[in-house]
Amino acid sequence: MIKKLKFKKEIFGYIIRYKKKNGVNFLTPSNLNHQIAVIRHKKNHIIKPHVHFKNIRKINYTSEVLIIQKGKLRIDLYSNKKKYLFSKILVKDDIIILIKGGHGFKIIKPTTMIEIKQGPYNKKKDKEVFKHIGSN
């Protein structure tokens, strides 16, 4: 299941809670600049060798993918103007893609997550930290 993180008509990201089924299962819309799939195959399955073509893409904003490996946390979502919008709870095996606006987190239970974003990453040019205003 993929749930849009939507405020008014704008999509700020997606939360993915997936069923573990066999094969290659893409979970994201094909127009996102991060494509996520769950791949499960039985023993001795062969994935044919392949190469990917050079394909120049323009990336306007850094997007992030977080994979929650354990724990529980709350994500707080903000507009591009740093106005608090809403919060969601994430738990083990959730995947979240953040594509717009701002975000912050509150750890509810000890949490381990993997973060994936486009690079190269420049902390001075790619990120601005601001004060949390919203639910506690």
Side-chain angles (χ1 to χ4, degrees):
M1 173 200 70
I2 184 165
K3 181 179 180 175
K4 292 178 185 174
L5 297 174
K6 197 171 180 181
F7 186 79
K8 297 189 180 177
K9 293 184 179 184
E10 289 190 84
I11 298 172
F12 287 79
Y14 299 87
I15 294 176
I16 300 169
R17 294 187 171 114
Y18 59 92
K19 293 181 180 173
K20 296 176 180 172
K21 50 186 182 175
N22 289 333
V24 178
N25 300 284
F26 275 90
L27 306 170
T28 49
S30 61
N31 64 333
L32 285 184
N33 54 344
H34 274 107
Q35 295 294 302
I36 297 177
V38 173
I39 302 170
R40 272 183 80 189
H41 296 297
K42 294 181 180 179
K43 182 179 178 179
N44 294 324
H45 178 86
I46 294 174
I47 298 173
K48 294 179 183 177
H50 61 281
V51 297
H52 295 269
F53 301 118
K54 182 177 182 178
N55 188 352
I56 297 172
R57 293 173 173 92
K58 183 177 179 184
I59 298 171
N60 293 315
Y61 297 97
T62 301
S63 62
E64 297 176 35
V65 177
L66 299 171
I67 303 165
I68 312 306
Q69 292 187 300
K70 89 173 200 184
K72 183 176 184 179
L73 67 141
R74 185 191 73 215
I75 181 167
D76 302 317
L77 293 160
Y78 298 82
S79 71
N80 285 336
K81 295 182 179 181
K82 305 173 198 149
K83 179 183 176 237
Y84 171 77
L85 301 175
F86 59 91
S87 299
K88 295 289 180 182
I89 299 295
L90 301 173
V91 296
K92 182 182 183 306
D93 291 335
D94 282 352
I95 300 170
I96 186 165
I97 305 171
L98 299 163
I99 60 172
K100 183 182 274 191
H103 51 272
F105 303 92
K106 180 175 182 180
I107 304 302
I108 297 169
K109 292 183 180 177
T111 298
T112 303
M113 59 183 140
I114 296 172
E115 178 183 36
I116 303 162
K117 61 184 160 205
Q118 302 103 337
Y121 180 72
N122 181 325
K123 192 173 183 178
K124 291 179 184 176
K125 291 182 179 180
D126 289 332
K127 185 177 191 174
E128 176 188 354
V129 175
F130 57 94
K131 185 177 175 165
H132 167 76
I133 300 171
S135 64
N136 287 323

